[in-house]
Amino acid sequence: MDNSSQTNLESDFPKIGQPATRALSHAGLYKLEQLTKVTEADLLKLHGLGPKAIRILNEVLKEKGLSFAKKG
């Protein structure tokens, strides 16, 4: 049995690795639209979420005409 499908059941995130996906879900983030309310800096503070995952998420957000929240 593969438990990863249960973790991603509600998520629309791209493949960014299990540690990053878990970090987002533990922070209550499951949808790309939710990422528009948080900054990259805030996400990088989450254990398991690094620059590579941020880059992938940023690319997907841009494709949808979205972006992370701005600092300030």
Side-chain angles (χ1 to χ4, degrees):
M1 294 270 285
D2 181 14
N3 291 337
S4 65
S5 61
Q6 292 176 350
T7 304
N8 294 328
L9 197 58
E10 300 174 35
S11 173
D12 66 352
F13 296 132
K15 291 190 183 288
I16 54 173
Q18 281 302 308
T21 302
R22 278 193 301 270
L24 291 169
S25 66
H26 288 328
L29 300 168
Y30 301 96
K31 302 289 182 187
L32 286 169
E33 289 78 22
Q34 291 176 297
L35 298 181
T36 64
K37 296 178 179 11
V38 294
T39 66
E40 290 181 39
D42 288 337
L43 290 176
L44 284 169
K45 293 176 187 174
L46 299 175
H47 179 75
L49 203 116
K52 182 178 178 182
I54 293 293
R55 187 181 74 248
I56 293 168
L57 290 169
N58 203 10
E59 290 171 5
V60 174
L61 286 170
K62 283 182 183 177
E63 287 173 9
K64 297 184 177 283
L66 302 171
S67 65
F68 290 114
K70 302 295 180 215
K71 295 178 186 175

